[in-house]
Amino acid sequence: MKLVKSLALGSAAAFFGMSGAQAADLPGAEPVEYVKVCDAYGAGFFYIPGSDTCLQIGGFARLDLSVGEVVRNNSGVKPNNNTGFRARARLWFDARTETEYGTLRTYIRTQFQRQSGGVGAQAATDLGIGDDSIFDKAFVQFAGLTAGLTDSFWDFKPYPTFTNPFISDRTLAVATYTAEFGSGFSASLGIEDGTARRTSTATAVFDSLGSNYQEQKYPDIVGNLRVKQGWGEAQLSGFAHHITTELGGRDSEWGYGVQFGAKINLEAIAKGDFIYGTAAYSSGALSYIGVGATGDSAFGIASTQNVDRGNRLVDFEIGNGGGIRKTEGYAFNLGALHYWSPKWRSALQGTYIDVDVKSAGNDWAAYGVTGNLIWSPVKKLDIGAELNYIKVTKTSSTYQLRDTDELIGRFRVQRDF
């Protein structure tokens, strides 16, 4: 009986094998293409069928809830809301191909969000052209060149917390060349969109002194020196920002600044732990230290909490003689991330900013402390809460803050894929 079964199974296998071979040889039969894993660039890449290009697709869905105190204005009115919601979806495509000049990379990231919190406004879907728009990133990298919409080469970004006040975190148009020297060392130099860095909130009170940009004559010049090795990474970056104005007589100046940032891995304590810090100086371009009309330093969502909106937010002023007087600023940040276990982590960060506005009585300064706790019950799912304490230590003489400090909380749920 065993012999009969063996012969029957063997005959069946031979029959189906012959049938498959004959079917493959039939005229007009199309070969079947299977998606193949591409392991040249890390996990998640696969070959686009019929090409030698590797593609990775990823993204996330996120909900943020911001709750906090609201600063009063000079009339004793609280112009913002205590709570706000933001739902955000992000999707990216990373395509890479090996060439004789090295890796050719194309990266596209789209972003959609709907948020509430603006005073007197209903929840709105953001489809604008700003930093949080549907067109979020799109750039090409080839033979050291990065060209397109991406992170500024000034920024240093291993942020440990959800909210990162008084830190530049900008996406803008760039054309930059990066030279790799080996052992993790590199240098970058290029041009970036200077209009995306303009800060000017002059009102009727400040019309005689407020900044008044004219045309962009030259783009911003931005460069950095960077090292990334097993111990961590560090970066020294600088910028030059051209200013032109016709308020009080045509004049032009160059703003400038420098920043140092470092991240040190603390794997001896726990896997993923690190300490992080930045120190930055800016003259004539407050956006480089995380202050601007686009809400860089907002702790909340939409118009829920903006502690610096009552202060002078101008890159420069025009003196009585018509000359440009640049605003200066310093910003410092120090933070740490610790994994209590593979599923629990928390971060703590302190920040300080001091802004020197040339018109009398308009200097201002603030500091903050941020802490969070995040639970990841399964891989790539984060459920966390964060608390910010902000203290305004000095403020514009024309805007007296009624509440000089406030607490702001944020709850977040995020699933990456």
Side-chain angles (χ1 to χ4, degrees), residues 59-130:
F60 68 65
R62 174 197 293 170
L63 173 70
D64 277 329
L65 167 63
S66 175
V67 181
E69 299 176 272
V70 177
V71 176
R72 296 180 186 271
N73 62 20
N74 281 335
S75 302
V77 177
K78 293 185 175 182
N80 297 328
N81 291 309
N82 290 91
T83 61
F85 287 84
R86 175 187 291 154
R88 176 176 290 181
R90 184 176 289 174
L91 183 66
W92 67 77
F93 305 86
D94 189 349
R96 307 187 192 188
T97 307
E98 281 306 305
T99 74
E100 59 182 309
Y101 302 97
T103 302
L104 169 61
R105 182 188 186 196
T106 303
Y107 184 90
I108 298 173
R109 190 172 83 182
T110 60
Q111 183 164 282
F112 309 84
Q113 70 179 31
R114 186 175 178 85
Q115 63 181 7
S116 66
V119 175
Q122 62 184 7
T125 301
D126 187 348
L127 295 177
I129 58 172

